[in-house]
Amino acid sequence: MENTPKPTRSEQVPITDDGQASPVLVGLFINGEQVPAETCGSFERLDPTTSLVASRAASGRAADAEHMAAVAAENFSGWAALSGQERAAVLLRARSLLPAYAERFASRMTSEMGATADWIAFNLTVATDVLTATAELAEKFNSDLPALGETESVIVRQPVGVCLAIAPWNAPIALGMRSIAFPLAFGNSVIFKASELCPATHMLLAELLHEAGVPAGVLSVMTNAPEHSEEVVETLIAHSAVRRINFTGSTRVGRIVAGIAAGHLKRCLLELGGKSPFVVLADADLEAAVEAAIFGAYLNNGQICMATDRIIVEDVVADAFVAALAERTRLLVAGDPRQPGIRLGPLGTPGIATRLSALISDALEKGARLVTGGPAHGPFMDATIVDHVSPMMRLYAEECFGPLVGIYRVGSADEAVTVANDCEYGLSSAVFSADLDKAAAIAAQLETGICHINGPTVADEPSMPFGGMKSSGYGRFGGVSCLDEFTEVRWITTSGRTAR
């Protein structure tokens, strides 16, 4: 990808007497600068690999949220009044500046979430693509009122005002940039609620965009301690200036956000959890399927909403497929991402490790077979395959969100479709078959917002509609499909008569 930055891990940070890097300090981002919270409170994020403090961030509260909303409302009209070409120029400047920020992003992603080099590079590539796609949208979007003639009737689109953007920790650059850049492209101002697990990484997005030319006050960033999240989110959604919300995260929290927004009659874009099915038919190219399954299941420890969670394979090739997959998977051993060659870093939180270990234990007690990996060891978990998953197991239906994939054996393509759709989630999916017509017919039946034929479940192209069905949310990021998410459509007429 042209202009894709090359990350390293050498961000210059102060070193303490014991040789450890001191934590990155993060304030609230208001009017183009970082400031303390009104209460001067703060919270810490620990490095999941070392348990040392990675960042110390301001803990915003309701009063800070009220102030941010007022600032965003005050600065909205100036940004909205710019032409689409002017906004596009800012987004393209941000893209050109991204390589200069790559080292800092890499350092912060490593310390706050234990990211590997592969995952950092993926995030930076997607962020570059997001800035390209949103610049193109900005150039095409014109909110000016067309000239009206006699009895003319026109439809116009205008930016909505202040948008609240909430992005998760697991893909902080890619998903953070997506949540901010799309509403900015259409002329909205944005309040970005950073994740409590990567406040320093998320703050760097604001610094980048501000340097690129996003005016002071158009983008604000809220950081808050976990115990204050509900207070902050409720305050922001309730504020009269905030008109739209986009949230990427778990289905559990998405339901809460949607409920609060519904109480205030405000529209949401929700991109939530997933349990992506990966269907392998009897005529599939098994080598290509194994390669795609490994990428989709274990990139970023499987801590991706569209990760390959369920491999649904026809019985006739199941043994051969599992053997080939296991041979490759056994090489994926988790460790410190700062060490060379490590492709699996630590899990994001201790809670993820506990939950994954419980899913494995439950499956084994009920007849499944552990092929590779196993329960978590401390903050780490090696790449894991559990074979012979059945409906009586928790693993059958619960989202993994970790380096754990289940093998579901089926007797036919029709049964594969039934099993794939027997799930509350519907974000991404994949079908592997040498017969493209058959694969397309299956793809048409899968209840997912995204389906890739002979490709991994993990893919991102910001010019394409991205979102899910069922409990994976509603609304779409990407391309013209997000026009409704971030603009208001209006009907204006004139009779051609003037007042007397």
Short mmCIF file of all heavy atoms in Angstrom, two decimals, residues 255-299:
data_model
loop_
_atom_site.label_atom_id
_atom_site.label_comp_id
_atom_site.label_asym_id
_atom_site.label_seq_id
_atom_site.Cartn_x
_atom_site.Cartn_y
_atom_site.Cartn_z
N ARG A 255 -25.48 -3.36 23.55
CA ARG A 255 -26.89 -3.31 23.95
C ARG A 255 -27.14 -2.17 24.95
O ARG A 255 -28.17 -1.49 24.90
CB ARG A 255 -27.31 -4.64 24.57
CG ARG A 255 -27.47 -5.78 23.57
CD ARG A 255 -28.13 -6.98 24.21
NE ARG A 255 -28.43 -8.00 23.21
CZ ARG A 255 -27.72 -9.11 23.02
NH1 ARG A 255 -26.66 -9.34 23.79
NH2 ARG A 255 -28.06 -9.98 22.11
N ILE A 256 -26.18 -1.95 25.83
CA ILE A 256 -26.32 -0.87 26.81
C ILE A 256 -26.30 0.49 26.10
O ILE A 256 -27.14 1.36 26.35
CB ILE A 256 -25.20 -0.95 27.86
CG1 ILE A 256 -25.33 -2.23 28.68
CG2 ILE A 256 -25.23 0.27 28.78
CD1 ILE A 256 -24.14 -2.51 29.59
N VAL A 257 -25.32 0.66 25.20
CA VAL A 257 -25.22 1.93 24.47
C VAL A 257 -26.49 2.18 23.65
O VAL A 257 -27.04 3.29 23.64
CB VAL A 257 -23.97 1.91 23.56
CG1 VAL A 257 -23.97 3.10 22.59
CG2 VAL A 257 -22.69 1.90 24.39
N ALA A 258 -26.97 1.14 22.98
CA ALA A 258 -28.18 1.29 22.16
C ALA A 258 -29.38 1.65 23.02
O ALA A 258 -30.24 2.44 22.61
CB ALA A 258 -28.44 0.01 21.39
N GLY A 259 -29.45 1.05 24.21
CA GLY A 259 -30.57 1.35 25.10
C GLY A 259 -30.57 2.79 25.57
O GLY A 259 -31.62 3.46 25.61
N ILE A 260 -29.38 3.29 25.93
CA ILE A 260 -29.29 4.69 26.35
C ILE A 260 -29.66 5.61 25.20
O ILE A 260 -30.42 6.58 25.35
CB ILE A 260 -27.86 5.01 26.85
CG1 ILE A 260 -27.51 4.16 28.08
CG2 ILE A 260 -27.73 6.49 27.21
CD1 ILE A 260 -26.05 4.23 28.48
N ALA A 261 -29.12 5.31 24.01
CA ALA A 261 -29.40 6.14 22.84
C ALA A 261 -30.89 6.13 22.49
O ALA A 261 -31.47 7.17 22.14
CB ALA A 261 -28.58 5.67 21.64
N ALA A 262 -31.52 4.97 22.60
CA ALA A 262 -32.95 4.88 22.30
C ALA A 262 -33.76 5.76 23.23
O ALA A 262 -34.76 6.36 22.82
CB ALA A 262 -33.41 3.42 22.40
N GLY A 263 -33.34 5.85 24.49
CA GLY A 263 -34.05 6.69 25.44
C GLY A 263 -34.02 8.16 25.07
O GLY A 263 -34.88 8.94 25.51
N HIS A 264 -33.02 8.53 24.26
CA HIS A 264 -32.90 9.93 23.81
C HIS A 264 -33.19 10.08 22.32
O HIS A 264 -32.93 11.14 21.74
CB HIS A 264 -31.49 10.45 24.12
CG HIS A 264 -31.17 10.50 25.58
ND1 HIS A 264 -31.58 11.53 26.40
CD2 HIS A 264 -30.52 9.63 26.38
CE1 HIS A 264 -31.17 11.30 27.64
NE2 HIS A 264 -30.53 10.15 27.66
N LEU A 265 -33.75 9.02 21.70
CA LEU A 265 -34.11 9.02 20.28
C LEU A 265 -32.93 9.41 19.41
O LEU A 265 -33.03 10.25 18.50
CB LEU A 265 -35.30 9.96 20.02
CG LEU A 265 -36.64 9.51 20.60
CD1 LEU A 265 -37.72 10.54 20.30
CD2 LEU A 265 -37.04 8.13 20.07
N LYS A 266 -31.80 8.77 19.67
CA LYS A 266 -30.59 9.06 18.90
C LYS A 266 -30.12 7.80 18.18
O LYS A 266 -30.15 6.71 18.72
CB LYS A 266 -29.49 9.63 19.80
CG LYS A 266 -29.90 10.98 20.38
CD LYS A 266 -28.83 11.64 21.18
CE LYS A 266 -29.33 12.97 21.74
NZ LYS A 266 -28.29 13.66 22.54
N ARG A 267 -29.68 8.01 16.96
CA ARG A 267 -29.33 6.90 16.08
C ARG A 267 -27.92 6.38 16.40
O ARG A 267 -27.00 7.16 16.65
CB ARG A 267 -29.40 7.38 14.63
CG ARG A 267 -29.06 6.34 13.60
CD ARG A 267 -29.42 6.86 12.23
NE ARG A 267 -29.02 5.93 11.18
CZ ARG A 267 -29.53 5.94 9.97
NH1 ARG A 267 -30.46 6.82 9.66
NH2 ARG A 267 -29.13 5.08 9.06
N CYS A 268 -27.77 5.04 16.30
CA CYS A 268 -26.48 4.39 16.56
C CYS A 268 -26.01 3.60 15.34
O CYS A 268 -26.83 3.04 14.61
CB CYS A 268 -26.58 3.40 17.72
SG CYS A 268 -26.75 4.12 19.34
N LEU A 269 -24.72 3.54 15.17
CA LEU A 269 -24.07 2.55 14.31
C LEU A 269 -23.34 1.61 15.26
O LEU A 269 -22.47 2.04 16.01
CB LEU A 269 -23.09 3.24 13.36
CG LEU A 269 -22.47 2.43 12.20
CD1 LEU A 269 -21.70 3.36 11.27
CD2 LEU A 269 -21.55 1.32 12.66
N LEU A 270 -23.69 0.33 15.24
CA LEU A 270 -23.12 -0.64 16.18
C LEU A 270 -22.40 -1.76 15.42
O LEU A 270 -23.02 -2.47 14.63
CB LEU A 270 -24.23 -1.26 17.04
CG LEU A 270 -25.08 -0.30 17.87
CD1 LEU A 270 -26.19 -1.06 18.56
CD2 LEU A 270 -24.21 0.43 18.90
N GLU A 271 -21.10 -1.88 15.64
CA GLU A 271 -20.33 -3.00 15.09
C GLU A 271 -19.84 -3.81 16.29
O GLU A 271 -18.96 -3.37 17.02
CB GLU A 271 -19.17 -2.48 14.24
CG GLU A 271 -18.62 -3.54 13.31
CD GLU A 271 -17.32 -4.11 13.80
OE1 GLU A 271 -16.28 -3.50 13.58
OE2 GLU A 271 -17.38 -5.20 14.43
N LEU A 272 -20.45 -4.98 16.48
CA LEU A 272 -20.33 -5.70 17.75
C LEU A 272 -19.58 -7.03 17.60
O LEU A 272 -18.74 -7.17 16.73
CB LEU A 272 -21.73 -5.89 18.34
CG LEU A 272 -22.57 -4.60 18.44
CD1 LEU A 272 -23.96 -4.90 18.97
CD2 LEU A 272 -21.86 -3.56 19.30
N GLY A 273 -19.88 -7.97 18.47
CA GLY A 273 -19.14 -9.22 18.52
C GLY A 273 -19.39 -10.10 17.32
O GLY A 273 -20.27 -9.86 16.49
N GLY A 274 -18.59 -11.17 17.24
CA GLY A 274 -18.74 -12.11 16.14
C GLY A 274 -18.24 -13.50 16.54
O GLY A 274 -17.52 -13.66 17.51
N LYS A 275 -18.67 -14.47 15.78
CA LYS A 275 -18.19 -15.85 15.94
C LYS A 275 -18.13 -16.44 14.53
O LYS A 275 -18.93 -17.30 14.16
CB LYS A 275 -19.11 -16.65 16.86
CG LYS A 275 -18.51 -17.97 17.33
CD LYS A 275 -19.36 -18.61 18.42
CE LYS A 275 -18.79 -19.96 18.83
NZ LYS A 275 -17.47 -19.88 19.49
N SER A 276 -17.19 -15.95 13.76
CA SER A 276 -17.19 -16.14 12.32
C SER A 276 -17.04 -17.60 11.90
O SER A 276 -16.06 -18.26 12.29
CB SER A 276 -16.07 -15.31 11.68
OG SER A 276 -16.26 -13.94 11.94
N PRO A 277 -17.96 -18.10 11.06
CA PRO A 277 -17.83 -19.46 10.53
C PRO A 277 -16.90 -19.48 9.32
O PRO A 277 -16.92 -18.58 8.48
CB PRO A 277 -19.27 -19.80 10.13
CG PRO A 277 -19.88 -18.49 9.77
CD PRO A 277 -19.24 -17.46 10.66
N PHE A 278 -16.11 -20.54 9.24
CA PHE A 278 -15.15 -20.75 8.16
C PHE A 278 -15.48 -22.12 7.58
O PHE A 278 -15.14 -23.15 8.17
CB PHE A 278 -13.74 -20.69 8.75
CG PHE A 278 -12.60 -20.80 7.77
CD1 PHE A 278 -11.96 -19.67 7.31
CD2 PHE A 278 -12.15 -22.05 7.36
CE1 PHE A 278 -10.88 -19.77 6.45
CE2 PHE A 278 -11.08 -22.16 6.49
CZ PHE A 278 -10.43 -21.03 6.03
N VAL A 279 -16.18 -22.15 6.45
CA VAL A 279 -16.72 -23.39 5.89
C VAL A 279 -15.72 -23.99 4.90
O VAL A 279 -15.31 -23.32 3.94
CB VAL A 279 -18.08 -23.13 5.21
CG1 VAL A 279 -18.60 -24.41 4.55
CG2 VAL A 279 -19.09 -22.58 6.22
N VAL A 280 -15.34 -25.25 5.13
CA VAL A 280 -14.42 -25.95 4.25
C VAL A 280 -15.17 -27.13 3.62
O VAL A 280 -15.51 -28.09 4.30
CB VAL A 280 -13.18 -26.47 5.02
CG1 VAL A 280 -12.21 -27.16 4.05
CG2 VAL A 280 -12.49 -25.33 5.76
N LEU A 281 -15.43 -27.04 2.30
CA LEU A 281 -16.14 -28.09 1.60
C LEU A 281 -15.17 -29.17 1.11
O LEU A 281 -13.95 -28.97 1.08
CB LEU A 281 -16.92 -27.51 0.44
CG LEU A 281 -17.99 -26.47 0.82
CD1 LEU A 281 -18.75 -26.02 -0.41
CD2 LEU A 281 -18.94 -27.02 1.88
N ALA A 282 -15.72 -30.29 0.71
CA ALA A 282 -14.90 -31.46 0.36
C ALA A 282 -13.95 -31.19 -0.80
O ALA A 282 -12.88 -31.80 -0.89
CB ALA A 282 -15.81 -32.64 0.04
N ASP A 283 -14.30 -30.26 -1.70
CA ASP A 283 -13.46 -30.00 -2.87
C ASP A 283 -12.52 -28.81 -2.67
O ASP A 283 -11.92 -28.30 -3.63
CB ASP A 283 -14.32 -29.78 -4.11
CG ASP A 283 -15.22 -28.55 -3.98
OD1 ASP A 283 -15.33 -28.00 -2.86
OD2 ASP A 283 -15.82 -28.14 -5.00
N ALA A 284 -12.38 -28.35 -1.44
CA ALA A 284 -11.58 -27.15 -1.18
C ALA A 284 -10.09 -27.43 -1.36
O ALA A 284 -9.61 -28.56 -1.20
CB ALA A 284 -11.83 -26.66 0.24
N ASP A 285 -9.36 -26.38 -1.68
CA ASP A 285 -7.89 -26.42 -1.67
C ASP A 285 -7.48 -26.36 -0.20
O ASP A 285 -7.51 -25.29 0.42
CB ASP A 285 -7.35 -25.23 -2.45
CG ASP A 285 -5.82 -25.17 -2.48
OD1 ASP A 285 -5.18 -25.73 -1.57
OD2 ASP A 285 -5.28 -24.54 -3.40
N LEU A 286 -7.12 -27.51 0.38
CA LEU A 286 -6.86 -27.57 1.83
C LEU A 286 -5.66 -26.73 2.24
O LEU A 286 -5.67 -26.13 3.32
CB LEU A 286 -6.69 -29.02 2.27
CG LEU A 286 -7.91 -29.92 2.13
CD1 LEU A 286 -7.66 -31.27 2.80
CD2 LEU A 286 -9.17 -29.28 2.69
N GLU A 287 -4.65 -26.67 1.41
CA GLU A 287 -3.48 -25.86 1.76
C GLU A 287 -3.85 -24.39 1.87
O GLU A 287 -3.46 -23.70 2.82
CB GLU A 287 -2.38 -26.05 0.71
CG GLU A 287 -1.09 -25.31 1.04
CD GLU A 287 -0.01 -25.54 0.00
OE1 GLU A 287 -0.15 -26.46 -0.82
OE2 GLU A 287 0.99 -24.78 0.01
N ALA A 288 -4.62 -23.90 0.90
CA ALA A 288 -5.06 -22.50 0.95
C ALA A 288 -6.00 -22.26 2.12
O ALA A 288 -5.95 -21.21 2.78
CB ALA A 288 -5.75 -22.12 -0.36
N ALA A 289 -6.86 -23.23 2.42
CA ALA A 289 -7.80 -23.09 3.54
C ALA A 289 -7.06 -23.04 4.87
O ALA A 289 -7.40 -22.25 5.75
CB ALA A 289 -8.80 -24.23 3.53
N VAL A 290 -6.04 -23.88 5.03
CA VAL A 290 -5.24 -23.87 6.26
C VAL A 290 -4.56 -22.52 6.44
O VAL A 290 -4.56 -21.94 7.54
CB VAL A 290 -4.21 -25.02 6.24
CG1 VAL A 290 -3.14 -24.81 7.32
CG2 VAL A 290 -4.90 -26.36 6.44
N GLU A 291 -3.97 -22.00 5.37
CA GLU A 291 -3.28 -20.71 5.45
C GLU A 291 -4.25 -19.61 5.88
O GLU A 291 -3.95 -18.79 6.76
CB GLU A 291 -2.67 -20.37 4.09
CG GLU A 291 -1.83 -19.11 4.07
CD GLU A 291 -0.52 -19.26 4.83
OE1 GLU A 291 0.00 -20.39 4.92
OE2 GLU A 291 -0.03 -18.23 5.33
N ALA A 292 -5.43 -19.58 5.27
CA ALA A 292 -6.42 -18.55 5.61
C ALA A 292 -6.96 -18.73 7.02
O ALA A 292 -7.23 -17.74 7.72
CB ALA A 292 -7.57 -18.58 4.60
N ALA A 293 -7.14 -19.98 7.45
CA ALA A 293 -7.65 -20.24 8.79
C ALA A 293 -6.67 -19.77 9.85
O ALA A 293 -7.07 -19.18 10.87
CB ALA A 293 -7.95 -21.72 8.96
N ILE A 294 -5.39 -20.02 9.64
CA ILE A 294 -4.38 -19.58 10.61
C ILE A 294 -4.35 -18.07 10.71
O ILE A 294 -4.31 -17.50 11.81
CB ILE A 294 -2.99 -20.15 10.22
CG1 ILE A 294 -2.96 -21.65 10.48
CG2 ILE A 294 -1.87 -19.44 10.98
CD1 ILE A 294 -1.72 -22.34 9.98
N PHE A 295 -4.38 -17.40 9.57
CA PHE A 295 -4.39 -15.93 9.58
C PHE A 295 -5.63 -15.42 10.31
O PHE A 295 -5.53 -14.55 11.19
CB PHE A 295 -4.37 -15.41 8.14
CG PHE A 295 -4.43 -13.91 8.03
CD1 PHE A 295 -3.30 -13.14 8.19
CD2 PHE A 295 -5.64 -13.26 7.78
CE1 PHE A 295 -3.34 -11.76 8.10
CE2 PHE A 295 -5.70 -11.88 7.67
CZ PHE A 295 -4.55 -11.13 7.84
N GLY A 296 -6.78 -15.96 9.98
CA GLY A 296 -8.02 -15.45 10.56
C GLY A 296 -8.21 -15.81 12.02
O GLY A 296 -8.84 -15.06 12.77
N ALA A 297 -7.68 -16.95 12.44
CA ALA A 297 -7.91 -17.41 13.82
C ALA A 297 -6.91 -16.82 14.80
O ALA A 297 -7.26 -16.60 15.97
CB ALA A 297 -7.85 -18.93 13.87
N TYR A 298 -5.66 -16.56 14.37
CA TYR A 298 -4.62 -16.26 15.35
C TYR A 298 -3.97 -14.89 15.22
O TYR A 298 -3.17 -14.52 16.07
CB TYR A 298 -3.54 -17.36 15.28
CG TYR A 298 -4.11 -18.74 15.53
CD1 TYR A 298 -4.00 -19.74 14.59
CD2 TYR A 298 -4.80 -19.02 16.71
CE1 TYR A 298 -4.55 -21.01 14.81
CE2 TYR A 298 -5.36 -20.27 16.94
CZ TYR A 298 -5.23 -21.26 15.99
OH TYR A 298 -5.78 -22.49 16.22
N LEU A 299 -4.30 -14.13 14.17
CA LEU A 299 -3.80 -12.76 14.11
C LEU A 299 -4.30 -12.00 15.34
O LEU A 299 -5.48 -12.07 15.70
CB LEU A 299 -4.30 -12.08 12.83
CG LEU A 299 -3.82 -10.64 12.60
CD1 LEU A 299 -2.32 -10.59 12.40
CD2 LEU A 299 -4.53 -10.03 11.38
#
